[in-house]
C-alpha cells in the first residue's frame, strides 16, 4: 500500500520560522476553495435580513464622512495645513487606520468565531483565521470607490498614483495580519490581551498622522512619530495618491519591511502555539 | 504489528488543566517557552493538571471497526480529537494511512441565515469536497437528508433534527478510507437512522476502517467488531465488542450506585436531621426509630455462601437479610422489600405474605428475617432496596426506609444484553422457528 500516511505526534519543539512559513503556505494552498467558500458565506450572511442589503457597504463610509465633515465644520479639529481638503485627508487617514485595526480584530475574531469548526473539523486553523480577510479586500475596494466619489464632489484632482492606491494599502493589511495572528495566538489563551492591545492601538492612533498632521514640537513625541512605522504606512499612500508626493518613500519602505517581519513573526507564533490555542477555545 | 494497518495509536496521552486559571497560566508559560525555542515537556503532570487520555494504544487494519465506549468524561471525545488531529498529543503518536473522514458534528459551520442549499456548499468545502463533486451529488444529498421542499429555506428555520440530517447527508457523500464517527447515529427518525446504518455498513463492506464513539450499546454492537472501554482517560478493557459491552454495562451499574449514594449523602446533608422518607434514604439504619414498635436495624445482601457482596452475576441467587427490633406485640406482621431500578421506581416487591410466609403475631424481640431470591431475572444494572414493615390490621407503615441497600447485577459471560439499557427483567423465554414456503 502506498497511501498517504498522516502522523500526529507530540511536539518535538523543532518548528523553525522557515518551516512555519512553508506549512502555512501549504495549508493556504490546500484550503483556498474553503477560504473562498467561507468568504462567500460570511459576506452573504452579513447582509441578510437588513433593509439596506449590500448598499450598507457604501453607506457606512458615507456616514463616517458626514461625521468628519461636521467635526471640521465646527472647528472641533484643527489639523493645520494638510495640503488637501481636510475631509479627504480624514477619510484617507481613517480608512487606512481602520483597515489596520479591522484586520487585527478580524483575524483574532475569526479564530474565536470559528472555534466550533476548529474543534470539530480538520480545516487548517490558519485558513479559518484568514477566511474573514476576504471581507477586508472588499472593504478596500469599496473605500477606493467612495474615495473617487469624494474626489469628484470635492473637485480635487488627485495624482496619477491614485490608480495604485489599493496596492499602497497592502503593507497595512500585512502588518495588521501579522499582529492579528500574534494577538489570536495569545488572545485565545488569555482573552483580555486582545482588548488591551486594541485599546493600546487606540492611543497609538494619536501618534500617527491619521486625523491630523502629527508634527509635534515635543522631542519625545516627535521621535515616537518618526519611528512609528504606521506614520509612513498612513502618510505615504495619502501623500502619493493625492499630491504625488513621494517624500516619505524611505520610511514607507521601512514600514513595508516591518509589516513583512510582523507577518512572518505572526505566522511563526500562530503555528508555534496553534495546538495550545485550539485546546483552550 | 500488521503490515495492513490503517490506524495506529501508540501510547497516546493528552493532559489538560482542571481550571481555566491553570489552563491559562500553563498556556501562556508553554507558549513563551516555545517562543524562546525550548521544548515543552509533555510527559509530566503539573499541579492542577490531569490526563484526559493516558497511554492509549491500538491498531486497526483495513475493514476493521472499533467502538469506543465509556461514561461521560472518560476521554472518548479527547481521543477522537487526537485521532482527527484537532489536538496534538502530549505523548505518543497516531498514524493514519489513507483518506480520513470525520462525522463528529454533523452541521458544524452552518450559517443560520443562509439556505440549506447554500450551506451544502460551505459544509462540503469544510469536509474537503470539491465544488464539482458537491454539484454532481447535491440531489443525492437532498434525498438522503429528506429535505425536499426545504432546501431554499434559511437553516435558522430548520428544526435541530433537520440540521443534523443535512449535515450527516453531506458528510455521507464522502467515501473515506478511515471514518471516525462520534454519536451521530441517534439522529432523526427510524427511517433516517436506518439510512445512517446502511451508509456505515456499506463503507464497512467496502473496506473502510471505522471508529465509532457511542453510548449506544446497540449501535456499537451492530457496527463494530472490536471495542475499547475507557475510564478516566485509560483503556480499561479492550477486545471483542461483546466483552467490552459487558464491561461497559457493569461499570455503568457501579457508577449509578456510587452516584446514587453521593446524591443520598448530599440530600441528607441538605435536608438536615429530618429527611422526608420519600427523598432521603437512610443507609445507616442504626439511628432510625419507628413510633409503631418496629425498627429495622440492618439490611444486608449476600450470596449463597453467606458473604455480603456488592454485586452478583445475572441469574445468581442472592439473600436479603434484615435485623428487625420489635418492641410490642404485632398481629399479622408483613415484611416487604421494594426494588427500584436506576430509571424506574418500584419495579418489583418481595412481600412476606405474598411469598407464603404469614406471620400471625410476633412478640417483642430482635428478629433476623432472610429471604432467598432464586434465579432472579433482573437484567444487568444497578438496583436499590427499600424496606417496609406493615401489618394487615394497621393502615400505615409500621416502618419504612428507602434505599437501605443496593445491588449491582453484572453481565454474564455467555450472553449479551444490548437491546435496551432501560429494560429491567429478562423473561425466561425460548425462541423457536419453523420455516414455511412463501
Amino acid at each position: 500500500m502506498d497511501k498517504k500516511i498522516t502522523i500526529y505526534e507530540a511536539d518535538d519543539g523543532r518548528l523553525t520560522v522557515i518551516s512555519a512559513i512553508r506549512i502555512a503556505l501549504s495549508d493556504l494552498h490546500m484550503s483556498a476553495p474553503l477560504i473562498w467558500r467561507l468568504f462567500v458565506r460570511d459576506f452573504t450572511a452579513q447582509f441578510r435580513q437588513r433593509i439596506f442589503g449590500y448598499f450598507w457597504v457604501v453607506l457606512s463610509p458615507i456616514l463616517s464622512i458626514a461625521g468628519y465633515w461636521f467635526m471640521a465644520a465646527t472647528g472641533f479639529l484643527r489639523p493645520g495645513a494638510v495640503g488637501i481638503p481636510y475631509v479627504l485627508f480624514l477619510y484617507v487617514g481613517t480608512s487606512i487606520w481602520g483597515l489596520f485595526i479591522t484586520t487585527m480584530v478580524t483575524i483574532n475574531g475569526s479564530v474565536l468565531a470559528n472555534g466550533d469548526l476548529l474543534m470539530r473539523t480538520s480545516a487548517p486553523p490558519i485558513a479559518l483565521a484568514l477566511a474573514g480577510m476576504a471581507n477586508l479586500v472588499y472593504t478596500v475596494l469599496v473605500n477606493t470607490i467612495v474615495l473617487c466619489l469624494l474626489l469628484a464632489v470635492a473637485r480635487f484632482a488627485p495624482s496619477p498614483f491614485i490608480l495604485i492606491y489599493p496596492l499602497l494599502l497592502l503593507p497595512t493589511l500585512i502588518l495588521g495580519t501579522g499582529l492579528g495572528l500574534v494577538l489570536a495566538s495569545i488572545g485565545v489563551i488569555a482573552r483580555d490581551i486582545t482588548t488591551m492591545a486594541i485599546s493600546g492601538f487606540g492611543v497609538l492612533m494619536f501618534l500617527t498622522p491619521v486625523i491630523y498632521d502629527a508634527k509635534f514640537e515635543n522631542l519625545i513625541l516627535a521621535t515616537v512619530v518618526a519611528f512609528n512605522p504606521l506614520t509612513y504606512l498612513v502618510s505615504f499612500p495619502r501623500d502619493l495618491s493625492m499630491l504625488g508626493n513621494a517624500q516619505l518613500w524611505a520610511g514607507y519602505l521601512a514600514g513595508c519591511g516591518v509589516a513583512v517581519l510582523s507577518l512572518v513573526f505572526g505566522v511563526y507564533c500562530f503555528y508555534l502555539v496553534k495546538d495550545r490555542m485550539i485546546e483552550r477555545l | 504489528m500488521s503490515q495492513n494497518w490503517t490506524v495506529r495509536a501508540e501510547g497516546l496521552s493528552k493532559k489538560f488543566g482542571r481550571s481555566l486559571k491553570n489552563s491559562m497560566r500553563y498556556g501562556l508559560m508553554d507558549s513563551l517557552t516555545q517562543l524562546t525555542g525550548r521544548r515543552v515537556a509533555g510527559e509530566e503532570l503539573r499541579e492542577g493538571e490531569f490526563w484526559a487520555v493516558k497511554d492509549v494504544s491500538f491498531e486497526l487494519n483495513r475493514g476493521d471497526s472499533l467502538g469506543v465506549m465509556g461514561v461521560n468524561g472518560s476521554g472518548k471525545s479527547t481521543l477522537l480529537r487526537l485521532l482527527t488531529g484537532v489536538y496534538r498529543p502530549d505523548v505518543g503518536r497516531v498514524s493514519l494511512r489513507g483518506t480520513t473522514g470525520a462525522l463528529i458534528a454533523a452541521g458544524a459551520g452552518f450559517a443560520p441565515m443562509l439556505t440549506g442549499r447554500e450551506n451544502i456548499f460551505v459544509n462540503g468545502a469544510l469536509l474537503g469536497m470539491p465544488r464539482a463533486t458537491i454539484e454532481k451529488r447535491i440531489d443525492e444529498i437532498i434525498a438522503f437528508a429528506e429535505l425536499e421542499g426545504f432546501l431554499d429555506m434559511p437553516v435558522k428555520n430548520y428544526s435541530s433534527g433537520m440540521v443534523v440530517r443535512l449535515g450527516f447527508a453531506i458528510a455521507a457523500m464522502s467515501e473515506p478510507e478511515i471514518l471516525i464517527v462520534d454519536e451521530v447515529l441517534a439522529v432523526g427518525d427510524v427511517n433516517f437512522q436506518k439510512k445512517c446504518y446502511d451508509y456505515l455498513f456499506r463503507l464497512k463492506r467496502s473496506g473502510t476502517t471505522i471508529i465509532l464513539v457511542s453510548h449506544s450499546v446497540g449501535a456499537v454492537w451492530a457496527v463494530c467488531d472490536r471495542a475499547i472501554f475507557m475510564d478516566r482517560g485509560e483503556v480499561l478493557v479492550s477486545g471483542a465488542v461483546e466483552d467490552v459491552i459487558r464491561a461497559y454495562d457493569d461499570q455503568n451499574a457501579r457508577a449509578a450506585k456510587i452516584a446514587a449514594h453521593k446524591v443520598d449523602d448530599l440530600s441528607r446533608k441538605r435536608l438536615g436531621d429530618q429527611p422526608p422518607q420519600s427523598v432521603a434514604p437512610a443507609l445507616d439504619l442504626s439511628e432510625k426509630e419507628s413510633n409503631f414498635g418496629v425498627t429495622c436495624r440492618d439490611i444486608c445482601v449476600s450470596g449463597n455462601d453467606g458473604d455480603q457482596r456488592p454485586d452478583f452475576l445475572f441469574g445468581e441467587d442472592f439473600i436479603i437479610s434484615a435485623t428487625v427490633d420489635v418492641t410490642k406485640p404485632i398481629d399479622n406482621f408483613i415484611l416487604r422489600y421494594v426494588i427500584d431500578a436506576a430509571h424506574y421506581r418500584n419495579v418489583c416487591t418481595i412481600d412476606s405474605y405474598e411469598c407464603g410466609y404469614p406471620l400471625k403475631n410476633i412478640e417483642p424481640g430482635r428478629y433476623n428475617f432472610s429471604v432467598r431470591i432464586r434465579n432472579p431475572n433482573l437484567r444487568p444494572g444497578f438496583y436499590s432496596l427499600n424496606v417496609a414493615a406493615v401489618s394487615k390490621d394497621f393502615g400505615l407503615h409500621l416502618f419504612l426506609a428507602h434505599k437501605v441497600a443496593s445491588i449491582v447485577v453484572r453481565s454474564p459471560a455467555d450472553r449479551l444484553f444490548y437491546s435496551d439499557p432501560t429494560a429491567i427483567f429478562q423473561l425466561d423465554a425460548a425462541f423457536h422457528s419453523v420455516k414455511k414456503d412463501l
Side-chain angles (χ1 to χ4, degrees), chain A residues 38-201:
Chain A
L38 291 174
F39 160 61
V40 174
R41 178 194 72 172
D42 295 342
F43 185 75
T44 315
Q46 70 177 319
F47 297 111
R48 292 277 164 94
Q49 221 173 19
R50 292 190 182 188
I51 293 170
F52 291 107
Y54 294 89
F55 182 65
W56 188 253
V57 177
V58 182
L59 194 67
S60 181
I62 288 173
L63 287 174
S64 59
I65 293 166
Y68 304 143
W69 177 83
F70 179 77
M71 283 196 289
T74 54
F76 182 67
L77 280 173
R78 279 175 289 173
V82 290
I84 56 173
Y86 183 57
V87 168
L88 286 176
F89 181 89
L90 264 175
Y91 181 71
V92 176
T94 50
S95 296
I96 299 173
W97 184 262
L99 178 69
F100 169 64
I101 296 291
T102 311
T103 308
M104 279 195 303
V105 172
T106 301
I107 301 278
N108 180 63
S110 289
V111 174
L112 288 172
N114 289 306
D116 189 44
L117 290 179
L118 286 171
M119 296 287 281
R120 292 166 190 271
T121 69
S122 50
I126 198 153
L128 295 175
L130 299 185
M133 281 190 68
N135 274 337
L136 296 172
V137 175
Y138 190 84
T139 305
V140 170
L141 288 175
V142 170
N143 281 341
T144 309
I145 292 165
V146 174
L147 177 61
C148 293
L149 290 172
L150 265 182
L151 288 168
V153 171
R155 298 188 178 183
F156 182 84
S159 82
F161 290 104
I162 190 76
L163 296 172
I164 58 162
Y165 174 71
L167 277 180
L168 295 172
L169 304 185
L170 209 57
T172 308
L173 199 70
I174 292 171
L175 181 66
T177 305
L179 294 177
L181 287 171
V182 175
L183 277 185
S185 310
I186 304 165
V188 170
I189 299 169
R191 302 282 165 110
D192 50 354
I193 296 275
T194 311
T195 318
M196 282 167 58
I198 300 296
S199 305
F201 280 109

Side-chain angles (χ1 to χ4, degrees), chain B residues 271-339:
Chain B
L271 295 168
D273 295 329
Q274 292 183 316
Q277 288 180 327
S278 60
V279 178
L283 289 172
D284 180 7
L285 288 166
S286 57
E287 293 175 8
K288 194 173 173 70
E289 293 292 340
S290 162
N291 296 325
F292 304 110
V294 179
T295 304
C296 182
R297 294 290 176 205
D298 183 39
I299 296 278
C300 67
V301 184
S302 53
N304 270 332
D305 51 9
D307 289 343
Q308 284 188 43
R309 275 195 280 145
D311 53 25
F312 298 86
L313 259 182
F314 169 78
E316 185 183 352
D317 292 0
F318 59 88
I319 299 161
I320 306 171
S321 306
T323 305
V324 178
D325 286 353
V326 178
T327 54
K328 59 184 180 187
I330 295 170
D331 293 337
N332 295 312
F333 179 80
I334 298 166
L335 187 67
R336 181 186 299 151
Y337 300 105
V338 178
I339 297 184

Side-chain angles (χ1 to χ4, degrees), chain B residues 365-392:
Chain B
R366 174 162 286 187
Y367 292 82
N368 184 273
F369 295 101
S370 66
V371 56
R372 177 187 296 270
I373 315 296
R374 293 190 193 88
N375 303 318
N377 56 1
L378 293 169
R379 286 167 67 101
F382 164 70
Y383 300 89
S384 54
L385 285 175
N386 311 307
V387 64
V390 292
S391 165
K392 191 182 169 190

